[in-house]
Amino acid sequence: MGKSKRSKVRGGGGDDLIDSSDADSVGSSSTALSDLSISYATEHVNSQEFVLDKYIDALYEKRGSTREAALSQLADAFESFILHDLVENKYATLLSLFNNSIKKGSTKEACLASHAIGLLALTLGADSSSHEIMEESFAQLSRVLQTWPDASKMISALDCLAVVTFVGAADLAETELSLKAMWDVIHPKSGSNVGTIRKPKPPVLAAAISAWAFLLTTIGSWRINTDNWKEPITFLSTLLGAEDRAVRMASGEALALCFELNLLDVSFYEDGDVENGGTGGSRSKLFLDMQALKAKISSLASNLSMEAGGKGADKKNLTDQRDLFQRILDFVKYGECPQESVKISGKRDVLRVSSWSELIQLNFLRRFLGKGFLKHVQENGLLQDVFDIKTDTAETLSSIDKKIFRSGEEKGRALKLNKDRRLAQERKNAAMLNE
């Protein structure tokens, strides 16, 4: 996609779009976009669009620091505000520029661009635009995961792939492609382009498992042959003994989800096994294998829920691990679902989750959106659908929005009063003429 037409800004003897203080210029522009509430309050939509266009222009610049600054400010704006109306006609340009930053930019720029792509998909919601974002981004993100660059770049690519597939995938086949790309990072020997077997660093492994589990929550009633699940569940169970606590916890959550989705329950697949030519003997062996896996996972979860803290152990992380595996144990043994609630706004609006699928979605999206999570839960229709949130419009409005809401009501009343006055005056004039 070619560059948009851009006016040049002269200053200090140069004629670049942004002069020698490129990054500072982009940063100062953020005042307008990051203070969108003021623009909304005064209905200066054109000024918002002007600032967004300025960021887009900055992404064309050769200087990496300029592009990084623009990406950072764009991500901040996507987190802080719901910009659907501003970007719905610009998403193709933004996506092209973001993908270019992943392909050619520094590690920092690529990480910022990956995050921005995910935020763009969440902003647009589940429609054809987000499907296009997933399709256009998949090849670039997969390439990052196959080349094993910097760990931070891989983690950003994993998160982005999880989000764009979560929002944009149209069917199980598209979801499976992303799940496979993630699993090739978790368990590299299963990949087709591995050559020398490489092991992911603990932060990358934990991120890959979390992204994989997040995406797995979307399979719902889509059922896949049991043989496809035995290997990943077995491998995840071995990771419960990993040295890194984050890896152990991510694996535990993923396994709890597998239990919840009945992926270890052979009875869900008996009909499919028969159709695929399975025999009673093979089903019996599969059943015994899965029962042994369940027992192994339960035993490991029990040990991790009571792990003693050694010298120098991080007490908070140790407590988090104990709590998580106790919840997993309670679920596996007694069917007790995890419960969590997040206050959204006011006294009554609370987001409540009561399943592993919902809890994994909540934790992943809360981490991905950061400070913008509450804003998106309050006003982003996609997240409200995901978590089945029904809020009272007046209660969820910000203080600025409330002023706009009230001014809108007042404007409506004023128009009605003016109309009534005009009609009254017309009736009066008609009466005078009749006299």
Side-chain angles (χ1 to χ4, degrees), residues 122 166 214 217 340 342 344 350-366 369 373 376-378 380-390:
L122 288 171
F166 181 85
F214 173 68
T217 64
E340 193 159 326
V342 178
I344 300 174
V350 177
L351 186 164
R352 290 186 175 86
V353 297
S354 55
S355 70
W356 285 104
S357 292
E358 292 174 342
L359 183 61
I360 287 170
Q361 290 173 357
L362 170 64
N363 289 337
F364 191 96
L365 290 171
R366 183 160 48 184
L369 284 165
F373 178 73
H376 278 260
V377 167
Q378 290 169 0
N380 187 323
L382 172 68
L383 266 68
Q384 291 179 348
D385 287 342
V386 167
F387 296 111
D388 193 24
I389 298 170
K390 296 178 178 63

Side-chain angles (χ1 to χ4, degrees), residues 297-435:
I297 294 167
S298 295
S299 176
L300 290 169
S302 178
N303 293 338
L304 291 167
S305 70
M306 299 183 292
E307 183 180 338
K311 185 176 181 181
D314 186 324
K315 291 184 178 179
K316 182 184 183 305
N317 288 337
L318 178 60
T319 300
D320 289 343
Q321 175 189 287
R322 288 171 176 168
D323 289 346
L324 172 65
F325 282 97
Q326 186 59 55
R327 294 167 92 174
I328 293 172
L329 200 59
D330 290 341
F331 178 70
V332 173
K333 281 189 170 184
Y334 311 113
E336 293 184 10
C337 295
Q339 304 283 335
E340 193 159 326
S341 60
V342 178
K343 186 177 179 182
I344 300 174
S345 63
K347 296 180 179 179
R348 294 179 298 167
D349 292 334
V350 177
L351 186 164
R352 290 186 175 86
V353 297
S354 55
S355 70
W356 285 104
S357 292
E358 292 174 342
L359 183 61
I360 287 170
Q361 290 173 357
L362 170 64
N363 289 337
F364 191 96
L365 290 171
R366 183 160 48 184
R367 177 176 59 80
F368 189 84
L369 284 165
K371 66 179 183 180
F373 178 73
L374 282 180
K375 180 71 173 178
H376 278 260
V377 167
Q378 290 169 0
E379 299 181 21
N380 187 323
L382 172 68
L383 266 68
Q384 291 179 348
D385 287 342
V386 167
F387 296 111
D388 193 24
I389 298 170
K390 296 178 178 63
T391 58
D392 181 77
T393 304
E395 287 185 1
T396 58
L397 293 174
S398 67
S399 58
I400 294 294
D401 290 338
K402 284 178 181 177
K403 291 179 181 178
I404 300 170
F405 185 73
R406 286 195 297 269
S407 67
E409 289 184 323
E410 291 165 0
K411 183 177 180 181
R413 285 195 296 270
L415 289 172
K416 186 177 183 302
L417 285 172
N418 288 337
K419 182 179 178 181
D420 290 344
R421 290 191 188 102
R422 187 176 68 254
L423 290 173
Q425 185 62 46
E426 289 174 355
R427 286 195 297 269
K428 182 179 179 181
N429 292 340
M432 291 174 65
L433 288 173
N434 290 333
E435 291 177 355

Side-chain angles (χ1 to χ4, degrees), residues 138-322:
F138 181 82
Q140 188 62 47
L141 295 170
S142 296
R143 195 172 297 114
V144 171
L145 300 184
Q146 290 168 1
T147 55
W148 290 61
D150 180 90
S152 60
K153 190 172 181 177
M154 285 194 73
I155 291 171
S156 296
L158 285 162
D159 285 351
C160 180
L161 182 59
V163 170
V164 297
T165 308
F166 181 85
V167 179
D171 53 35
L172 177 59
E174 291 180 340
T175 300
E176 281 187 293
L177 285 174
S178 293
L179 285 170
K180 175 69 165 58
M182 295 168 185
W183 190 256
D184 287 346
V185 175
I186 298 170
H187 199 197
K189 70 178 183 180
S190 65
S192 57
N193 301 314
V194 290
T196 303
I197 302 301
R198 296 168 289 189
K199 290 186 177 181
K201 295 178 181 179
V204 173
L205 180 55
I209 296 168
S210 294
W212 184 84
F214 173 68
L215 200 49
L216 193 65
T217 64
T218 66
I219 71 166
S221 60
W222 291 334
R223 291 298 168 198
I224 307 172
N225 190 296
T226 313
D227 291 340
N228 292 349
W229 295 110
K230 182 181 174 182
E231 187 266 342
I233 292 171
T234 300
F235 185 71
L236 286 172
S237 69
T238 66
L239 294 180
L240 294 181
E243 291 184 11
D244 186 80
R245 180 167 283 119
V247 171
R248 296 198 296 267
M249 293 177 68
S251 301
E253 283 193 333
L255 286 167
L257 177 63
C258 290
F259 274 99
E260 183 173 88
L261 295 174
N262 296 306
L263 301 181
L264 288 83
D265 191 343
V266 178
S267 64
F268 271 77
Y269 307 94
E270 287 186 353
D271 294 339
D273 286 340
V274 172
E275 291 173 3
N276 294 328
T279 65
S282 64
R283 290 200 301 274
S284 296
K285 184 179 184 305
L286 183 57
F287 175 78
L288 292 174
D289 288 345
M290 289 301 193
Q291 289 300 105
L293 258 179
K294 286 183 179 181
K296 176 185 177 181
I297 294 167
S298 295
S299 176
L300 290 169
S302 178
N303 293 338
L304 291 167
S305 70
M306 299 183 292
E307 183 180 338
K311 185 176 181 181
D314 186 324
K315 291 184 178 179
K316 182 184 183 305
N317 288 337
L318 178 60
T319 300
D320 289 343
Q321 175 189 287
R322 288 171 176 168

